[in-house]
Structure formats: structure tokens, C-alpha cells
């Protein structure tokens, strides 16, 4: 039933915030009630921290608590008196007088009260907004809150796209695409990912004794966003539009000076607020982590993905819950990789210290069991606690005696999930330099807490000393890399994932990109982000250049997989395979990744480097080809009975089982029950994640071949960007001089040379199989197909794909205009 124009969500003014709240509500899966209670407890938590700290400062007599002062309750002073906890509390009138006499404490309480009132107003506003989202889910999307956990984000997004067709929630565009929704949710985050990718933000430093260091905390990130996006005097006049003066190059020096002055004042404000912020950070960390440290002393020795790691490893147009799911899958192999590096000397010291501390602790525990009055002796309980913490810390430095040192295989498993890795890590996984650089992405939780505590002191220094000199570069960045998209507003041009504008020649974009060194995204960010978004959102229609890129990748996968078919390279059973497979979950897609990695490692020991690379390519390509939806459909009739059979030819062991199970998953009736719908969503999500993991491995192998030809272009610490544009003209001249040869594997013969027109026709034909035609972005809507709902890439066999109807152009010609990059 079409919605009435009087609906509260008709012509929503701030769609960025609206879509963000829809995504947040879906990611939390908790509904309105849980979010409301969570907001209330956050307000109560702030009051508790302030009130409890004030009570500890002004209302406790520590002389009585520490037994430094005698206490007399009776008329017989000679009688022993047992001190109770209330005896150490001061009377209310004395406590009030001490608070009033402390002017500094009163000032802090006033500031805390103003801040709490601000949070209360924000809480009331958020409640109203969440109630609107609650009503939108129920009345517009027809999704009850009780069944929301069983819906994937793609299903919710599809309903939003359909609602736009029936009822114009965005009046600037007739139809919304998946990319439009992602752009609105991730507008500012895409800018941050691009600035980190181009090494524009001052977060990497070379310090004496410490060497290369990364410092990127929540406080520093908050200040960056305050300066660039939403603070007073920021570069954006609202959440969807960059100020007009920043789009023109004429007054760039004046704008840079203005931005530099604003950064200076914000840095000074951080200096003035540093004591208050530092006190709050210390108190909050003390109340949050003390109980955890007492209960689990080894928790601070655990690791977590750093804030810099989350930004460096994030794709363009990747939602928070998608990033969290991807990094969570890589947590276990990342922990095992970091634990591979042990110090024999430190292990010996830790074992002996643990022995001595354990001996003393055992004696004290035995004496306590014999007579509990031992605990009444001064400092006995403190000694027992410290000895227990020390033993736990020592155990964290003692490695598992069954641990197998296989860093290269572990690093490939990690790469399959995190998708990004510097070039020089491959082949050097056993070196401590690689381990130290990976620790910048995967740091100790204790280091994370320490950095957050130091953030109020270091953040002002970074803003004033390091960020101000980059003001002109920042102004140029936002002018050069901002595009206006109809119906969306100003977005980061990198988020368009346009291979022609921002592709890297070393990442299969040679001959397809016009980007200079200044314009191209580093580390294959554009290409990998494009593949991730296309696999996650299979209904999305990419632009023409992006479609051609994916088509070329598809054709290359088929060529490399044919090598495995010709050589009959079946992966053998080996102990290394079982070890790697144990790092993954029990699901078949993850087992396929372990199979590919372990098999390629076991068969490549006696080969040359080129031979190993070629085998890696063919095996990953063969695994990717096993995701063909037509193969799944052919095996669907046999159901789970065929899941145990071997694949044909060179299909890796487990690939046929995976394909059969994938067919079963795709043919599950989604309407039979909520549980079956949830199971189907989980299976399809796992298969999409696995396909992207295989794509990441495959593209890194191709990039590795290209990097061997031009090793000087790929370094961990990149040089300053070339803003002159001379390199762009040189690259264009080189490309026009002749076709750039794509490096091929040495394990299969070269194909016959093709004319450029024939090669272009082949790429277009390959992509018509996948997307049903090549069209410009924004001019057509994608025609439905029999497998278009699958959240997979779904490689289709040559000549076997279904035919799609001709696409129908939209009525609005204004939406057909492609975004233009504002260049200097």
C-alpha cells in the first residue's frame, strides 16, 4: 500500500542522519527499548562517576580508614574496638563544608553539570529520533522489531530502495541506489579513509628510541572531524554540502591561512581543557578497567585492532558492522601470528619469576587455609593479590609448547580477511620488522588504554605543530577530491570507486586509469573497495569503467583457473592443512580458504618463486570459479548428498561440497520460518565474505607479479604526492604509445595477441554475462535476473548465463549527469 504524503518521513531533510540511524538500529539488533535503556544508563553512569569521585575526595576520613587515628565509641578506652566502614565516613555537614571550601572542586562540578545537561538534551533529541526510526521500520518497511535480528542489511536496504519508488523520501532523485545510501551514511568516513590512504593526516611519526610510531586516538579523531566536517567554521556548510569557496582554486592560500588559524585556536582550546579531559580519562579508565584487571589480569595483554588499523583496513563504502565482522574473523589468526614471535630469554625469565612468585603464593594460601587470621596481618592480602597478578603476567610471556612456527601461512590467512597489506610483508613474515609494523594495526589493549590517557596531552601538540603546516594540502585535497552527486550532495571522489579516476596501474588498472600519482589511491584501495561493494551489493550497477575492470578480472580468473584444470592440481591432505583449517570456523567457505592456503604452501616448497606465484594464482582462481551459480543450480537437486563428493578436475577439495551447500542455501525457502530465514542470511553472508577473501588473495598475487617488475613504486612509507601533474601526463603518453602488457603466470602459455577493439569487445561481453549490459551510472536501473538477489559475485560460465531484458532509461535527464571532479 503506498504511503500517505502526510507520513512523518515524507521529504526527510537530513537523509544522512536518517539513514545512519536506520543502519545503527539494524547493526545493534536491539530495538528501541534497548537503545533507550542504554542511553539512560549512560546518563546515570556519568552522574555516578562525578558523585562518587566527589564523595571519595571530600567525605572520607582516610586516617580512620587506614587506622592511623584511634577511634573511641565507648566509655572504656582500654577495650579493643573494631572499626567499621561507616566510621570512616564524615558527617553530612562536615562533608558539605569541605566541598564548599574547595573552589577547584566546585568549578569542576559546575562544568560537569553543564556537560550533563547538554547530554540530557541530546538524549531527549535522540529518543525522538529513535522513535521515528522505530515507526519507520514498523509502518514503512513492514519489519517488526521482534524480527529485525533476522534481517540482513541488504534486505533492509532493498526495502528502502523500494520505499523511495513508492514514496519520495528523497525529492532530488526519482530512484535511490545502494551506493547513494552508502554515500549518505559514510560521507565523512570516506573522506577520513581517503586522507589516511593518501598519508595526509599527521598520525605517523619517527621518534627517537621508538622508531616509526603511529598515534591515532579517539580524541585526535574527534578533533579532526570537528575541524573538517561539523564544527563551527568547518569546511562543510551542512552535512551534505562543501562550502562554495573551498571548491574554487582562486583563494586557496587565503582559505589555507584561515584553516591554519582555526586549527591553532582549537589546539589552544584543547590545551585549556586538557586538565579536565585528563582527569575524566583517568577516572573513567580506573572505574572501567580495575575490576577487569582484578578478575582477568591477563586481559591487558590481549590485543585489539587499533583505531588506525580500522581506518587503514577499511574499504571505501564499508559500514561499521561490515568492517567489524571482517576484522573479527581475522582476530584469531592475527593473535596466533603475533604469538609466534617469542623471546627465548624473556621466556626463561618469565618461567623462573613465575616459579618464585608461585612458591610464595602457595605458602601464603596454605597458611590462610590453616588459620584465616593470617589475612589480618598487614599487607598479606596485598601481597597475595600482587603475586597472583605477577604470575598471570608471566604466563602471558610463556609460549604454548605445541605452537608451530608458520608465519607466512598465518599472514596469508590474515590477508584473506583484512584485504590490505604492504608489499614488503609478503615473504618477510618471519622478520621482527614485519611483526612490529603489524603491531601498529593490531596493538595491545594496554597500549590502547595508555594512548587514550596520553591523548589530552599529545593531541594539542599534533594539531598545532603537525596539522597546521598541512592546511594548504588539506584545502587542495577537499577541492580536488570532492564531487557533487545528484540526489546525494558532495561526496569524496574516492568513494565513487572509479577505476578511471583513482585506479592504480599496479592493481590491474593499467590502461584503464587516467589517474596521476596524486590522484590514484594507494594499496589497491579503489580496486579492492570496488570488488567488495560489488560482491556485498549484487544488485548495484557499476559505472562503465568499473564494469570493464570487474569483467577483466573475471576473464583473468577463468584463464588462471584453466591452468589448474590442465595440470590436475588437486590439493593433498597434509598436516599443515589441518593446522591452518583449525584457525577458521567450521563453515565450509572458511575451510576452502584454509584449503587453498595450505595446499599452495605444501606444493610450493620445491618450486621457484615464479612457480609458487603461478600456482597460488591458479588455485585461488579455481576456488573463485567454484562460486558459479550455475554449478550450484546443477547440484541443487542432489542436495546435501553431493556435499561429500570431490570436485571435477582441479577443483580444490571442499570446493564441490561448498558449491553444493551453497545451492542448498540459495534454494531455502525464506518464508517458512524466521529461523530458516536467519540461517539463509547467515550462509549467504558467509559465502559473500569468502568470495571477497579469495578475491583479495587473488588480486594481491597479481599485484605481487606486477610489483616485481617495478619494485621502486611500492613502499610502506610513500613519498610525498606529486601535485604538479607532470607524472600524469607522462603516464598518459606511455599508455597512448601502446598497450600495456598484463603480467601472466609462468605456468600456462600466453594467449594470442588481440587487437584493442577485440579486447574491449571481450571485456564487454564478459560483463554482460554478469550485469546484463554495460551502462552509464545513474542512467538505467538494473534489470532483475534469476540470481540477482544473491549476495555473491557468482562467476557465470561462458555461454551459460541467463539473458536479461534491455535496460530502460530513467525519465529524469538531470540524474544522468556524471559527477565531475573539480581540478586545479
Amino acid at each position: 500500500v503506498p504511503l500517505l504524503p502526510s507520513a512523518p518521513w515524507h521529504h526527510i531533510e537530513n537523509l544522512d542522519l536518517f539513514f545512519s540511524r536506520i543502519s545503527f538500529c539494524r547493526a545493534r539488533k536491539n530495538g528501541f527499548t534497548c537503545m533507550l535503556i542504554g542511553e539512560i544508563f549512560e546518563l546515570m553512569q556519568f552522574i555516578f562517576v562525578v558523585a562518587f569521585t566527589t564523595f571519595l575526595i571530600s567525605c572520607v576520613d582516610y586516617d580512620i580508614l587506614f587506622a592511623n587515628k584511634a577511634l573511641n565509641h565507648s566509655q572504656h578506652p582500654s577495650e579493643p574496638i573494631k572499626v567499621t566502614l561507616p566510621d570512616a565516613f564524615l558527617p553530612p555537614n562536615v562533608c558539605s563544608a569541605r566541598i564548599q571550601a574547595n573552589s577547584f572542586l566546585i568549578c569542576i562540578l559546575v562544568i560537569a553539570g553543564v556537560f550533563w545537561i547538554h547530554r540530557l538534551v541530546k538524549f531527549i533529541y535522540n529518543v525522538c529520533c529513535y522513535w521515528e526510526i522505530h515507526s519507520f521500520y514498523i509502518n514503512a518497511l513492514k519489519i517488526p522489531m521482534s524480527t529485525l535480528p533476522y534481517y540482513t542489511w541488504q534486505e533492509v536496504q532493498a526495502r528502502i530502495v523500494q520505499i523511495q519508488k513508492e514514496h519520495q523520501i528523497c525529492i532530488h532523485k526519482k530512484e535511490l541506489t545502494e551506493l547513494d545510501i552508502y554515500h549518505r551514511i559514510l560521507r565523512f568516513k570516506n573522506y577520513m579513509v581517503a586522507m589516511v590512504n593518501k598519508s595526509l593526516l599527521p598520525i605517523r611519526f619517527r621518534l627517537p628510541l621508538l622508531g616509526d610510531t603511529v598515534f591515532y586516538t579517539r580524541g585526535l579523531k574527534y578533533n579532526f572531524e570537528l575541524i573538517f566536517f561539523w564544527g563551527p567554521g568547518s569546511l562543510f556548510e551542512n552535512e551534505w554540502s562543501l562550502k562554495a569557496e573551498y571548491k574554487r582554486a582562486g583563494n586557496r592560500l587565503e582559505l589555507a591561512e584561515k584553516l591554519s588559524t582555526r586549527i591553532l585556536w582549537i589546539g589552544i582550546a584543547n590545551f585549556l581543557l586538557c586538565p579536565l579531559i585528563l582527569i575524566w580519562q583517568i577516572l573513567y579508565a580506573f572505574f572501567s578497567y580495575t575490576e577487569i584487571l582484578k578478575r582477568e589480569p591477563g586481559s591487558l595483554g590481549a590485543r585489539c585492532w587499533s583505531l588506525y588499523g580500522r581506518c587503514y583496513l577499511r574499504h571505501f563504502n564499508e559500514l561499521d558492522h561490515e568492517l567489524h565482522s571482517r576484522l573479527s574473523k581475522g582476530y584469531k589468526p592475527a593473535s596466533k601470528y603475533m604469538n609466534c614471535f617469542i623471546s627465548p630469554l624473556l621466556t626463561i625469565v618469565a618461567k623462573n619469576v613465575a616459579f618464585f612468585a608461585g612458591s610464595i603464593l602457595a605458602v601464603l594460601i596454605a597458611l590462610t587455609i590453616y588459620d584465616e587470621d593470617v589475612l589480618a596481618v598487614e599487607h598479606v592480602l596485598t601481597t597475595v593479590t600482587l603475586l597472583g597478578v605477577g604470575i598471570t603476567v608471566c604466563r602471558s610471556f610463556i609460549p604454548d609448547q605445541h605452537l608451530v612456527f608458520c608465519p607466512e601461512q598465518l599472514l596469508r590467512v590474515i590477508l584473506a580477511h583484512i584485504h590490505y597489506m604492504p608489499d614488503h610483508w609478503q615473504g618477510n613474515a618471519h622478520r621482527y620488522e614485519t611483526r612490529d609494523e603489524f603491531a601498529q594495526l593490531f596493538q595491545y589493549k594496554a597500549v590502547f588504554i595508555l594512548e587514550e590517557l596520553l591523548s589530552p596531552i599529545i593531541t594539542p601538540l599534533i594539531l598545532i605543530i603537525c596539522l597546521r603546516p598541512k592546511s594548504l594540502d588539506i584545502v587542495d585535497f577537499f577541492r580536488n577530491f570532492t564531487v557533487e552527486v545528484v540526489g546525494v550532495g558532495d561526496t569524496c571522489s574516492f568513494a565513487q570507486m572509479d577505476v578511471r579516476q583513482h585506479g592504480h596501474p599496479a592493481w590491474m588498472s593499467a590502461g584503464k586509469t587516467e589517474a596521476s600519482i596524486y590522484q590514484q589511491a594507494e594499496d589497491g584501495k579503489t580496486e579492492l573497495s570496488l570488488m567488495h561493494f560489488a560482491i556485498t551489493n549484487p544488485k548495484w550497477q557499476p559505472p562503465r569503467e568499473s564494469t570493464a575492470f570487474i569483467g577483466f578480472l573475471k576473464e583473468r580468473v577463468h584463464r588462471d583457473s584453466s591452468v589448474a584444470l590442465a595440470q590436475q592440481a588437486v590439493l593433498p591432505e597434509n598436516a599443515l592443512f589441518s593446522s591452518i583449517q583449525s584457525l577458521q570456523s567450521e563453515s565450509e567457505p572458511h575451510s576452502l580458504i584454509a584449503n587453498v592456503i595450505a595446499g599452495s604452501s605444501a606444493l610450493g616448497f620445491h618450486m621457484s618463486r615464479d612457480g609458487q606465484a603461478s600456482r597460488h594464482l591458479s588455485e585461488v582462481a579455481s576456488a573463485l570459479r567454484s562460486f558459479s551459480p550455475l554449478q550450484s543450480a546443477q547440484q541443487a537437486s542432489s542436495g546435501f548428498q553431493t556435499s561429500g563428493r570431490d570436485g571435477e578436475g582441479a577443483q580444490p577439495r571442499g570446493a564441490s561440497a561448498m558449491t553444493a551447500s551453497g545451492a542448498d542455501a540459495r534454494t531455502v525457502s525464506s518464508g517458512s520460518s524466521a529461523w530458516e530465514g536467519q540461517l539463509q542470511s547467515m550462509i549467504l553472508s558467509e559465502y559473500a565474505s569468502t568470495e571477497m577473501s579469495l578475491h583479495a588473495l587473488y588480486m594481491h598475487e597479481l599485484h605481487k607479479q606486477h610489483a616485481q617488475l617495478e619494485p621502486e613504486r611500492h613502499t610502506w612509507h610513500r613519498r610525498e604526492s606529486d601535485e604538479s601533474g607532470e607524472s600524469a601526463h607522462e603516464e598518459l603518453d606511455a599508455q597512448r604509445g601502446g598497450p600495456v602488457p598484463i603480467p601472466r603466470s609462468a605456468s600456462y602459455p600466453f594467449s594470442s595477441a588481440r587487437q584493442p577493439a577485440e579486447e574491449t569487445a571481450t571485456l564487454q561481453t564478459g560483463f554482460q554475462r554478469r550485469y546484463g549490459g554495460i551502462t552509464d551510472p545513474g542512467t538505467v536501473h538494473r534489470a532483475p535476473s534469476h540470481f540477482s538477489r544473491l549476495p555473491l559475485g557468482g562467476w557465470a560460465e561462458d555461454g551459460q548465463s541467463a539473458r536479461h531484458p534491455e535496460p530502460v532509461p530513467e525519465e529524469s535527464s538531470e540524474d544522468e549527469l556524471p559527477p565531475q571532479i573539480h581540478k586545479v
Side-chain angles (χ1 to χ4, degrees):
V1 179
L3 300 176
L4 298 177
S6 59
W9 43 82
H10 173 66
H11 177 31
I12 299 173
E13 182 178 359
N14 192 343
L15 277 176
D16 290 27
L17 189 59
F18 186 75
F19 287 154
S20 298
R21 289 198 172 104
I22 292 177
S23 174
F24 177 77
C25 185
R26 159 61 188 77
R28 294 287 294 270
K29 299 183 180 181
N30 296 328
F32 174 77
T33 304
C34 293
M35 288 189 292
L36 177 64
I37 295 177
E39 293 274 356
I40 292 175
F41 274 109
E42 286 184 3
L43 290 174
M44 296 175 59
Q45 188 180 79
F46 182 83
I47 295 177
F48 172 79
V49 171
V50 174
F52 189 54
T53 304
T54 304
F55 174 80
L56 294 177
I57 293 175
S58 303
C59 300
V60 177
D61 190 344
Y62 290 97
D63 289 332
I64 296 179
L65 187 64
F66 296 148
N68 295 329
K69 183 170 64 175
L71 182 65
N72 186 11
H73 277 306
S74 63
Q75 299 178 354
H76 304 281
S78 60
E79 295 180 0
I81 300 174
K82 187 174 182 179
V83 180
T84 59
L85 190 60
D87 294 334
F89 299 158
L90 296 176
N93 56 345
V94 177
C95 179
S96 177
R98 294 182 63 176
I99 293 176
Q100 295 175 5
N102 193 339
S103 58
F104 179 74
L105 181 60
I106 292 178
C107 180
I108 293 180
L109 291 177
V110 170
I111 296 175
V114 173
F115 181 73
W116 187 83
I117 293 175
H118 167 73
R119 294 191 62 175
L120 178 63
V121 174
K122 187 177 179 180
F123 162 74
I124 297 174
Y125 173 74
N126 288 337
V127 168
C128 298
C129 294
Y130 286 141
W131 181 255
E132 181 184 9
I133 300 300
H134 177 268
S135 303
F136 183 78
Y137 266 106
I138 295 177
N139 299 323
L141 301 183
K142 307 300 180 184
I143 300 177
M145 285 296 151
S146 59
T147 61
L148 180 60
Y150 306 114
Y151 285 83
T152 63
W153 166 248
Q154 280 67 33
E155 293 170 337
V156 174
Q157 184 177 244
R159 298 200 178 196
I160 295 175
V161 173
Q162 185 64 29
I163 287 296
Q164 170 66 15
K165 297 178 182 178
E166 300 175 357
H167 190 77
Q168 295 290 317
I169 59 177
C170 175
I171 63 174
H172 302 289
K173 200 171 185 180
K174 184 177 180 180
E175 293 185 2
L176 287 176
T177 65
E178 293 82 0
L179 190 59
D180 294 338
I181 298 176
Y182 274 75
H183 277 169
R184 287 190 172 275
I185 298 175
L186 302 169
R187 189 188 306 272
F188 297 152
K189 292 182 179 180
N190 282 329
Y191 275 109
M192 295 296 293
V193 172
M195 285 190 283
V196 170
N197 180 259
K198 297 299 293 183
S199 301
L200 184 61
L201 298 179
I203 55 180
R204 299 188 64 90
F205 309 96
R206 179 176 288 274
L207 302 177
L209 302 179
L210 297 180
D212 293 331
T213 306
V214 173
F215 187 85
Y216 190 46
T217 61
R218 288 180 293 187
L220 185 59
K221 176 176 176 288
Y222 177 85
N223 279 274
F224 286 157
E225 295 175 349
L226 177 70
I227 294 171
F228 300 146
F229 304 124
W230 54 267
S234 63
L235 281 64
F236 281 74
E237 60 180 339
N238 49 47
E239 293 194 9
W240 57 87
S241 179
L242 185 69
K243 290 181 179 178
E245 57 264 26
Y246 287 96
K247 298 180 181 180
R248 298 188 294 266
N251 56 347
R252 55 194 289 266
L253 297 177
E254 179 184 350
L255 292 174
E257 184 65 27
K258 181 180 177 181
L259 178 61
S260 177
T261 303
R262 185 166 175 269
I263 294 174
L264 175 62
W265 283 110
I266 291 180
I268 294 175
N270 275 269
F271 264 124
L272 297 178
L273 296 176
C274 176
L276 299 178
I277 300 176
L278 183 61
I279 291 173
W280 170 257
Q281 292 274 47
I282 294 174
L283 291 176
Y284 187 81
F286 176 78
F287 292 138
S288 299
Y289 297 107
T290 301
E291 189 274 334
I292 299 177
L293 182 62
K294 179 181 179 300
R295 177 166 40 89
E296 299 177 4
S299 60
L300 296 182
R303 291 185 176 269
C304 61
W305 296 104
S306 65
L307 193 61
Y308 167 74
R310 290 179 175 274
C311 194
Y312 171 78
L313 299 175
R314 187 171 197 153
H315 293 295
F316 293 122
N317 303 309
E318 184 176 21
L319 296 176
D320 291 339
H321 70 272
E322 295 173 347
L323 175 67
H324 177 75
S325 175
R326 182 163 60 88
L327 295 184
S328 297
K329 294 174 183 176
Y331 181 87
K332 188 175 181 180
S335 299
K336 287 183 175 292
Y337 173 75
M338 299 301 290
N339 292 335
C340 283
F341 296 86
I342 57 177
S343 173
L345 178 61
L346 187 60
T347 300
I348 295 174
V349 173
K351 287 182 178 180
N352 286 274
V353 171
F355 171 77
F356 296 134
S359 302
I360 300 174
L361 181 62
V363 172
L364 292 177
I365 292 177
L367 293 176
T368 303
I369 294 175
Y370 178 76
D371 189 353
E372 62 181 9
D373 292 336
V374 175
L375 293 176
V377 178
E378 189 176 12
H379 301 314
V380 169
L381 186 60
T382 304
T383 303
V384 171
T385 303
L386 293 178
L387 288 174
V389 173
I391 293 173
T392 305
V393 172
C394 289
R395 286 176 179 173
S396 63
F397 294 102
I398 301 175
D400 184 6
Q401 59 180 348
H402 303 292
L403 183 65
V404 179
F405 186 74
C406 51
E408 290 292 344
Q409 289 75 27
L410 287 172
L411 203 60
R412 292 200 72 200
V413 176
I414 296 170
L415 177 60
H417 296 296
I418 66 176
H419 301 169
Y420 293 99
M421 187 173 293
D423 299 333
H424 66 273
W425 284 9
Q426 298 188 25
N428 296 310
H430 61 283
R431 299 176 63 90
Y432 274 89
E433 291 82 358
T434 304
R435 184 248 187 204
D436 293 339
E437 291 178 359
F438 185 70
Q440 297 174 356
L441 309 178
F442 195 61
Q443 62 181 177
Y444 281 114
K445 188 173 291 185
V447 176
F448 169 79
I449 297 174
L450 180 61
E451 289 181 350
E452 292 296 333
L453 293 178
L454 297 177
S455 179
I457 302 174
I458 300 178
T459 295
L461 300 176
I462 294 178
L463 295 178
I464 297 175
I465 300 176
C466 302
L467 186 63
R468 286 186 64 208
K470 292 179 173 289
S471 298
L472 184 59
D473 296 336
I474 294 172
V475 171
D476 290 339
F477 177 87
F478 278 92
R479 183 184 69 257
N480 295 329
F481 300 124
T482 295
V483 296
E484 183 178 359
V485 182
V486 176
V488 177
D490 293 333
T491 62
C492 182
S493 61
F494 287 98
Q496 297 291 322
M497 301 174 295
D498 190 349
V499 176
R500 181 175 61 87
Q501 293 290 345
H502 299 296
H504 199 294
W507 289 86
M508 299 181 62
S509 297
K512 305 177 184 63
T513 179
E514 302 173 1
S516 64
I517 296 178
Y518 176 64
Q519 293 174 323
Q520 67 192 16
E522 305 296 338
D523 303 318
K525 181 74 74 172
T526 300
E527 293 79 6
L528 288 168
S529 299
L530 173 62
M531 292 305 304
H532 177 267
F533 193 83
I535 292 173
T536 307
N537 301 273
K539 294 184 180 181
W540 174 61
Q541 177 64 53
R544 177 178 300 171
E545 292 78 10
S546 302
T547 302
F549 172 81
I550 306 177
F552 174 75
L553 179 61
K554 169 185 176 294
E555 183 184 5
R556 183 65 186 267
V557 166
H558 278 275
R559 283 206 308 265
D560 289 336
S561 62
S562 64
V563 176
L565 289 172
Q567 296 179 350
Q568 297 291 325
V570 181
L571 301 181
E573 293 285 352
N574 56 79
L576 181 59
F577 164 70
S578 303
S579 176
I580 297 296
Q581 192 178 29
S582 65
L583 299 175
Q584 310 290 346
S585 63
E586 296 300 326
S587 60
E588 290 175 346
H590 287 171
S591 299
L592 176 61
I593 297 177
N595 202 338
V596 170
I597 294 175
S600 60
S601 303
L603 295 177
F605 286 142
H606 303 289
M607 293 184 179
S608 64
R609 185 177 298 271
D610 293 339
Q612 293 182 25
S614 301
R615 182 171 293 279
H616 292 170
L617 278 175
S618 60
E619 288 164 353
V620 179
S622 179
L624 276 173
R625 194 169 182 175
S626 68
F627 277 85
S628 170
L630 296 178
Q631 293 180 11
S632 301
Q634 293 172 359
Q635 298 184 16
S637 58
S638 59
F640 287 100
Q641 295 177 357
T642 62
S643 61
R645 301 175 184 176
D646 296 334
E648 296 181 1
Q651 195 171 353
R653 182 173 289 112
S656 61
M658 180 200 66
T659 308
S661 300
D664 296 335
R666 297 179 182 121
T667 56
V668 169
S669 175
S670 58
S672 58
S673 66
W675 168 248
E676 289 185 357
Q678 183 187 26
L679 180 61
Q680 181 189 23
S681 300
M682 292 172 57
I683 293 176
L684 294 181
S685 176
E686 289 296 322
Y687 274 80
S689 175
T690 303
E691 183 180 5
M692 184 57 213
S693 298
L694 294 173
H695 273 100
L697 293 173
Y698 182 76
M699 295 175 69
H700 273 272
E701 290 294 339
L702 290 177
H703 170 69
K704 185 178 179 181
Q705 285 188 354
H706 190 280
Q708 292 174 356
L709 303 178
E710 299 180 12
E712 69 276 2
R713 291 178 58 94
H714 313 289
T715 55
W716 172 245
H717 303 290
R718 293 181 287 272
R719 298 191 182 101
E720 295 295 330
S721 299
D722 181 15
E723 301 182 17
S724 63
E726 297 177 359
S727 59
H729 298 296
E730 295 175 0
E731 291 177 5
L732 288 176
D733 294 339
Q735 292 172 7
R736 292 168 184 168
V740 180
I742 302 297
R744 302 179 184 274
S745 175
S747 59
Y748 67 95
F750 286 79
S751 59
S752 60
R754 298 180 180 178
Q755 298 297 328
E758 296 178 359
E759 184 175 358
T760 305
T762 303
L763 298 183
Q764 294 178 356
T765 304
F767 257 93
Q768 288 172 350
R769 298 191 191 103
R770 177 181 172 94
Y771 290 103
I774 301 177
T775 56
D776 290 328
T779 59
V780 299
H781 61 83
R782 186 182 171 190
S785 62
H786 69 288
F787 61 89
S788 61
R789 296 182 59 188
L790 301 180
L792 308 172
W795 301 116
E797 297 293 338
D798 296 338
Q800 296 180 351
S801 60
R803 300 297 180 184
H804 303 283
E806 292 295 331
V808 181
E810 291 183 356
E811 298 177 1
S812 175
S813 60
E814 182 180 6
D815 295 349
E816 298 175 5
L817 297 176
Q820 300 295 330
I821 291 182
H822 305 283
K823 297 185 178 180
V824 181

